[in-house]
């Protein structure tokens, strides 16, 4: 059975590009257009990995990760941040929130898939 | 003629330069350059509004701070009027870029899906043709095998007839034997009759027997002759049948051979067509994969929209901030360096940081950090 990955980004084109790369690699994809929308979609379904942007309206990526980690079902779900943010301070903030990898845009799909394959839950 | 105030000149230059660059911009770096011009212009304007601080660094401008320079309130009013318009235009540009990029990504992704379907052979057409060719090839091979088997069976049948013909010779010999035995018996009966006649009255009964034996031997001889004639007739018919069968066999063999050649030729043509079609399909698959790869690359490059959007957001926010300050008539109280530092802190992309340090603003390579 295909593993499910959640993509959280306010840019629909980015969601499409990431989604295509993931679907091409055999994953199922769930999309959220910001942190708040993504949290609403964490309804108990199995999510094997989350890929999230940082700067988003309504709820930013770091806050989303913190709130997701408070949900028992998603406490151990690995998170990759996919963002234009390249500052060390932001990365540290992400790491402290429980993020497992930080990918700076523009990303290459192969690189991102490598990170996904490394972190996705069995 | 009254000189045009320096502040107005700066604003006009700033506006023209920024809008011109934005209009010409077709890529992120042109947008970044336009944004940098805008910020630089604003900073220059602020510096000009602070002659006491900036005078020594910009001696040429000191002459501009003349009685003709509009009062501080005038610049504040001008900025508070113009900045919302700029902000509106920047937002418009951002929205249009975002919409166009979304549309492009959506169309490219649809093309990718169709290409994948074509590559996976989900669509009927060439694949089915190849299957039909392969199936026809198998069926023709089966027919060829059946024809060859029929030829072998006919050959066996012919061997049987030939074998039967060999019996007729034997039958003829046996009929000759019968005739010979009848002749000998007749001779024997004749001798017996002579001996019976010599014996006189005593041999009369034996003479009757000898006569009957002679009759029987004559009948046997006749029968042998009939057998021989019948065998001859059968042999003639059999030979005719054998000849006919050989003719048929020979004709069948030719027919089978010709059919085999035709079938093999058709199979060969099928195989050639199949190979060409497979080659075409392979080439098409290769071309499709190359297109898919190119489209994938284009889509990755379309990520510029996300970065442009964020950069324009920062410019927009800063313009709103400047507009708010101008509205409060506090422009002259601003510290350009502090303003610049605050703007720097809002940067998210690596390119913004690099551009801020006046380095070449090349696109950043994607980096991954694992924690």
């Amino acid at each position: 059975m295909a593993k499910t990955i959640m993509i959280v980004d306010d840019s629909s084109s980015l969601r499409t590009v990431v989604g295509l790369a993931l679907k091409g690699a055999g994953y199922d994809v769930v999309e959220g257009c910001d942190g708040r929308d993504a949290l609403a979609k964490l309804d108990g379904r199995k999510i094997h990995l989350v890929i999230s942007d940082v700067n988003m309206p309504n709820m930013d990526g770091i806050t989303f990760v913190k709130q997701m980690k408070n949900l028992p079902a998603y406490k151990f779900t690995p998170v990759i941040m996919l963002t234009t943010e390249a500052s060390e301070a932001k990365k540290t903030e992400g790491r402290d929130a429980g993020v497992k990898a930080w990918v700076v845009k523009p990303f290459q799909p192969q690189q991102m898939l490598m990170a996904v394959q490394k972190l996705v839950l069995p | 003629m009254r000189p045009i105030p320096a502040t107005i000149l700066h604003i006009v230059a700033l506006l023209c330069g920024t809008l011109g660059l934005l209009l010409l911009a077709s890529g992120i770096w042109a947008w970044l350059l336009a944004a940098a011009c805008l910020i630089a212009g604003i900073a220059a304007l602020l510096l000009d509004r602070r002659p006491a601080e900036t005078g020594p660094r910009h001696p040429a401008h000191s002459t501009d701070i003349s009685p003709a320079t509009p009062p501080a309130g005038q610049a504040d009013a001008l900025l508070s009027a113009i900045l919302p318009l700029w902000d509106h235009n920047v937002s418009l540009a951002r929205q249009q870029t975002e919409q166009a990029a979304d549309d492009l990504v959506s169309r490219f992704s649809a093309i990718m899906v169709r290409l994948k379907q074509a590559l996976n052979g989900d669509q009927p057409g060439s694949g089915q043709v190849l299957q039909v060719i392969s199936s026809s090839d198998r069926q023709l091979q089966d027919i060829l095998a059946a024809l060859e088997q029929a030829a072998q069976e006919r050959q066996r049948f012919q061997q049987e007839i030939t074998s039967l013909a060999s019996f007729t010779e034997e039958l003829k010999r046996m009929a000759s034997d019968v005739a010979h035995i009848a002749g000998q018996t007749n001779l024997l009966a004749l001798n017996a009759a002579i001996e019976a006649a010599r014996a006189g009255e005593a041999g009369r009964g034996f003479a009757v027997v000898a006569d009957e034996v002679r009759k029987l031997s004559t009948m046997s001889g006749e029968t042998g002759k009939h057998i021989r004639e019948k065998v001859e007739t059968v042999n003639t018919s059999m030979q005719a049948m054998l000849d006919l069968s050989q003719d048929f066999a020979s004709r069948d063999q030719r027919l089978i051979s010709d059919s085999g050649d035709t079938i093999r030729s058709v199979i060969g043509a099928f195989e050639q067509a199949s190979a060409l079609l497979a080659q075409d399909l392979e080439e098409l698959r290769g071309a499709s994969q190359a297109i898919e790869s190119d489209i994938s690359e284009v889509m990755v490059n379309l990520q510029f929209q996300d970065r442009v959007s964020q950069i324009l957001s920062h410019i927009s926010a800063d313009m709103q901030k400047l507009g708010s300050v101008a509205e409060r008539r506090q422009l002259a109280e601003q510290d350009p360096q502090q303003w610049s530092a605050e703007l720097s802190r809002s940067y998210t992309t690596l390119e913004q940081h690099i551009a801020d340090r006046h380095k070449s603003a090349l696109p950043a390579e994607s980096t991954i950090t694992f924690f």
Side-chain angles (χ1 to χ4, degrees):
Chain A
M1 195 178 153
K3 290 174 178 169
T4 305
I5 295 178
M6 175 179 261
I7 306 167
V8 190
D9 201 307
D10 57 326
S11 163
S12 70
S13 58
L14 248 294
R15 290 199 304 272
T16 306
V17 174
V18 177
L20 268 179
L22 292 173
K23 285 172 192 166
Y27 295 104
D28 282 342
V29 169
V30 177
E31 292 186 10
C33 63
D34 56 45
R36 196 170 64 189
D37 181 45
L39 266 185
K41 285 176 178 164
L42 293 178
D43 50 7
R45 70 180 90 184
K46 181 70 182 170
I47 300 287
H48 295 83
L49 182 105
V50 171
I51 298 173
S52 175
D53 190 10
V54 171
N55 298 308
M56 292 182 287
N58 299 320
M59 184 189 289
D60 68 86
I62 302 286
T63 309
F64 161 65
V65 174
K66 284 178 183 167
Q67 295 203 13
M68 186 190 90
K69 294 285 177 184
N70 285 333
L71 301 171
Y74 303 100
K75 190 175 173 63
F76 300 107
T77 305
V79 180
I80 297 174
M81 299 310 281
L82 179 62
T83 174
T84 52
E85 287 279 5
S87 72
E88 286 304 317
K90 275 283 175 191
K91 284 184 187 177
T92 306
E93 208 181 325
R95 189 193 61 199
D96 293 347
V99 170
K100 290 287 177 194
W102 193 278
V103 181
V104 177
K105 294 174 188 172
F107 72 96
Q108 286 297 323
Q110 291 79 9
Q111 279 183 306
M112 194 199 62
L113 282 175
M114 186 200 76
V116 167
Q117 281 157 9
K118 193 170 174 178
L119 296 174
V120 74
L121 286 176
Chain B
M1 189 180 158
R2 191 182 166 188
I4 300 167
T7 308
I8 303 299
L9 279 174
H10 269 110
I11 291 169
V12 170
L14 191 66
L15 181 61
C16 292
T18 307
L19 288 179
L21 283 166
L22 283 171
L23 284 171
L24 288 169
S26 57
I28 182 173
W29 311 118
W31 282 97
L32 282 171
L33 188 59
C37 284
L38 178 64
I39 301 299
I42 292 167
L45 181 65
L46 285 169
L47 288 171
D48 277 340
R49 291 298 304 127
R50 297 171 63 82
E53 288 174 36
T54 59
R57 284 182 286 168
H58 299 279
H61 287 180
S62 60
T63 54
D64 292 336
I65 313 297
S66 62
T69 307
Q74 233 176 339
D76 288 332
L78 185 63
L79 275 181
S80 61
I82 287 175
L83 279 172
L85 296 176
W86 289 1
D87 184 30
H88 173 71
N89 279 290
V90 169
S91 297
L92 202 63
R94 192 178 57 168
Q95 280 167 15
Q96 287 188 1
T97 311
E98 193 170 333
Q99 198 175 344
D102 284 352
D103 191 37
L104 280 172
V105 167
S106 163
R107 282 165 191 270
F108 278 132
S109 68
I111 292 170
M112 289 266 284
V113 169
R114 284 206 294 275
L115 272 174
K116 274 185 196 299
Q117 281 175 347
L119 284 173
N120 293 338
D122 290 349
Q123 290 178 337
S126 327
Q128 277 191 355
V129 171
L130 279 175
Q131 280 181 358
V132 167
I133 288 176
S134 170
S135 162
S136 305
D137 186 272
R138 274 198 306 276
Q139 285 170 356
L140 288 173
Q141 294 278 13
D142 289 348
I143 291 170
L144 194 60
L147 285 173
E148 278 167 359
Q149 196 181 350
Q152 283 172 2
E153 280 169 5
R154 182 173 285 281
Q155 206 173 358
R156 252 199 328 274
F157 176 66
Q158 204 178 338
Q159 282 167 355
E160 287 295 324
I161 293 173
T162 310
S163 154
L164 205 58
S166 71
F167 286 119
T168 60
E169 286 300 319
E170 205 174 331
L171 284 171
K172 270 160 73 179
R173 202 169 49 248
M174 285 164 74
S176 294
D177 288 349
V178 168
H180 180 69
I181 290 166
Q184 289 297 316
T185 310
N186 192 30
L187 196 62
L188 199 63
L190 194 63
N191 285 331
I194 292 166
E195 288 303 319
R198 195 184 293 169
E201 195 59 32
R204 190 178 297 273
F206 191 69
V208 172
V209 173
D211 189 47
E212 287 302 315
V213 169
R214 198 174 52 81
K215 282 180 188 170
L216 281 174
S217 72
T218 305
M219 283 171 68
S220 296
E222 287 296 317
T223 304
K225 192 181 165 191
H226 286 149
I227 289 172
R228 190 180 169 80
E229 283 169 2
K230 289 292 173 194
V231 166
E232 204 62 55
T233 307
V234 167
N235 192 33
T236 307
S237 297
M238 209 167 276
Q239 192 56 52
M241 200 167 75
L242 195 61
D243 290 346
L244 204 60
S245 174
Q246 273 171 348
D247 278 353
F248 281 153
S250 168
R251 203 163 48 193
D252 284 358
Q253 195 56 49
R254 263 201 317 278
L255 195 67
I256 288 169
S257 175
D258 289 350
S259 302
D261 288 347
T262 307
I263 287 171
R264 271 188 286 275
S265 160
V266 169
I267 289 171
F270 272 3
E271 282 174 351
Q272 202 176 356
S274 172
L276 281 172
L277 198 60
Q279 191 184 341
D280 284 352
L281 273 178
E282 199 51 45
E283 282 172 10
L284 194 65
R285 188 170 284 122
S288 301
Q289 274 169 346
I291 293 169
E292 191 187 351
S293 166
D294 286 349
I295 292 175
S296 177
E297 191 64 30
V298 167
M299 287 172 73
V300 168
N301 288 332
L302 281 171
Q303 291 176 66
F304 87 86
Q305 175 270 323
D306 189 41
R307 301 200 304 283
V308 165
S309 182
Q310 293 209 22
I311 292 165
L312 290 180
S313 296
H314 300 146
I315 294 170
S316 197
D318 209 52
M319 282 196 293
Q320 284 169 14
K321 183 178 156 192
L322 187 63
S324 166
V325 166
E327 209 170 51
R328 293 197 303 272
R329 303 286 189 267
Q330 293 172 341
L331 212 53
E333 297 162 22
Q334 302 306 312
D335 177 0
Q337 285 181 351
Q338 189 187 338
W339 189 287
S340 177
E342 280 174 15
L343 182 63
S344 288
R345 278 197 291 277
S346 75
Y347 292 162
T348 56
T349 69
L350 206 56
E351 299 97 307
Q352 283 175 297
H353 290 291
I354 291 169
D356 193 50
R357 291 197 295 271
H358 308 290
K359 291 180 184 170
S360 172
L362 293 170
E365 287 288 319
S366 174
T367 55
I368 302 180
T369 310
F370 288 99
F371 302 127

